[in-house]
Amino acid sequence: MKAPKRCCIWAWCPVGAAQSWDADPWYDHIAGPLADTVPLGTESGINLEILAALEPDLIIGNKVRQEKIYDQLSAIAPTVYAEDLSGDWQKNYQFYADVLGLHDQGAANLAAFNERAAAIGASLGDSINDTISLVRFSPGRTRIYYKDTFAGVILDKVGLKRPAPQDRQDFAEEVQKERIPDMDGDRIFYFSADADPEEAVANLAEWTNDPLWLNLEGVKAGKAQRVSELVWNTGGGIYCAHMMLDELAAIYGVDPQTVD
């Protein structure tokens, strides 16, 4: 199975784009392909003047982030929106392919990803029965991530299960420390801001040193592991989806199912 190269899926790049969520302007894995792309500000703060100066033929956005400026965007160029974020990343990917006239290529790329995910799952043996917990720690808002999330969808494609408290077709829930027992699983994958700002580091330490956390079976078994926030959460696209499969294969010590 050939995984997508770390380059533009469509063999072209946008003339302008909102900067990556917590990078300036692009995440490392897309910085090369977007070297000639003009940053347009943040997802929720698009610089319309710069955008208009680029004279685009088409604007692609997301209703969650840009619904309020649809009229302004559509006055610049024809504008289309994906409806949602989180667990809809595959639906959005196919939507973007369709509006670019690349339906077949989009469908083929998704089929290749899903086949790769299933192949990794098949290589896990009895470990495919592991329950996988997903938790995000951030100052002021710690959340348990459910199945309708970027990482949750990928775990499902692999065939890995979720603990009973997390086996919900929802996005995420903000919790307080009394809900730490609901974070347990055979494996616990948690993420926090990759840049490790001081406040985030202190918050993570506070939670992961709490007696309730230290008493979790997954923690006591040494199977609570921090993973990349970018790869498992904020990246949200097919590149990071393949990168997450890379990480899962490495964690489990199985063939990542990729060839050159």
Side-chain angles (χ1 to χ4, degrees):
M1 173 80 57
K2 180 176 286 188
K5 302 295 185 182
R6 303 299 189 232
C7 62
C8 288
I9 286 291
W10 310 124
W12 61 268
C13 288
V15 294
Q19 70 186 52
S20 298
W21 186 253
D22 53 3
D24 185 16
W26 318 120
Y27 291 131
D28 288 346
H29 70 285
I30 56 173
L34 296 185
D36 296 324
T37 299
V38 176
L40 298 175
T42 65
E43 290 184 15
S44 56
I46 300 297
N47 188 314
L48 297 172
E49 184 177 353
I50 294 176
L51 175 56
L54 294 173
E55 299 182 346
D57 297 309
L58 175 69
I59 298 172
I60 299 173
N62 190 284
K63 188 175 181 180
V64 174
R65 301 292 189 216
Q66 291 99 30
E67 182 175 18
K68 293 181 179 179
I69 60 169
Y70 176 82
D71 289 344
Q72 294 162 285
L73 293 176
S74 59
I76 296 171
T79 299
V80 293
Y81 282 168
E83 286 290 319
D84 209 345
L85 295 168
S86 61
D88 275 349
W89 72 269
Q90 290 201 341
K91 178 181 177 180
N92 291 349
Y93 184 83
Q94 188 62 59
F95 170 75
Y96 303 144
D98 290 349
V99 300
L100 294 170
L102 296 167
H103 175 86
D104 290 347
Q105 185 177 350
N109 288 341
L110 287 176
F113 171 82
N114 291 331
E115 185 177 344
R116 182 187 176 210
I120 289 174
S123 71
L124 293 180
D126 290 342
S127 293
I128 195 63
N129 296 312
D130 282 358
T131 56
I132 307 299
S133 172
L134 294 175
V135 184
R136 182 175 189 264
F137 296 106
S138 60
R141 187 168 71 173
T142 290
R143 295 190 291 185
I144 295 174
Y145 275 51
Y146 299 129
K147 298 176 72 172
D148 188 24
T149 55
F150 177 70
V153 167
I154 295 171
L155 292 175
D156 186 64
K157 295 293 183 181
V158 171
L160 287 160
K161 300 171 177 60
R162 305 299 301 277
Q166 298 180 27
D167 192 17
R168 296 169 48 179
Q169 200 60 44
D170 295 317
F171 172 58
E173 183 178 3
E174 184 174 343
V175 297
Q176 303 302 317
K177 288 180 180 175
E178 64 268 17
R179 292 284 303 280
I180 287 177
D182 288 345
M183 298 177 180
D184 209 357
D186 294 321
R187 286 187 181 269
I188 305 169
F189 295 123
Y190 61 93
F191 33 94
S192 184
D194 289 333
D196 281 333
E198 183 177 342
E199 187 179 12
V201 169
N203 178 73
L204 180 60
E206 179 184 340
W207 280 78
T208 57
N209 284 290
D210 189 275
L212 287 174
W213 173 266
L214 296 173
N215 196 48
L216 296 178
E217 294 301 323
V219 173
K220 291 190 291 186
K223 292 187 176 180
Q225 179 171 353
R226 183 177 178 179
V227 292
S228 168
E229 161 95 322
L230 164 64
V231 173
W232 289 64
N233 186 34
T234 56
I238 198 166
Y239 298 120
C240 283
H242 276 284
M243 291 161 69
M244 181 174 158
L245 291 184
D246 293 341
E247 287 197 8
L248 276 172
I251 288 165
Y252 278 98
V254 300
D255 185 345
Q257 303 293 328
T258 59
V259 295
D260 294 329

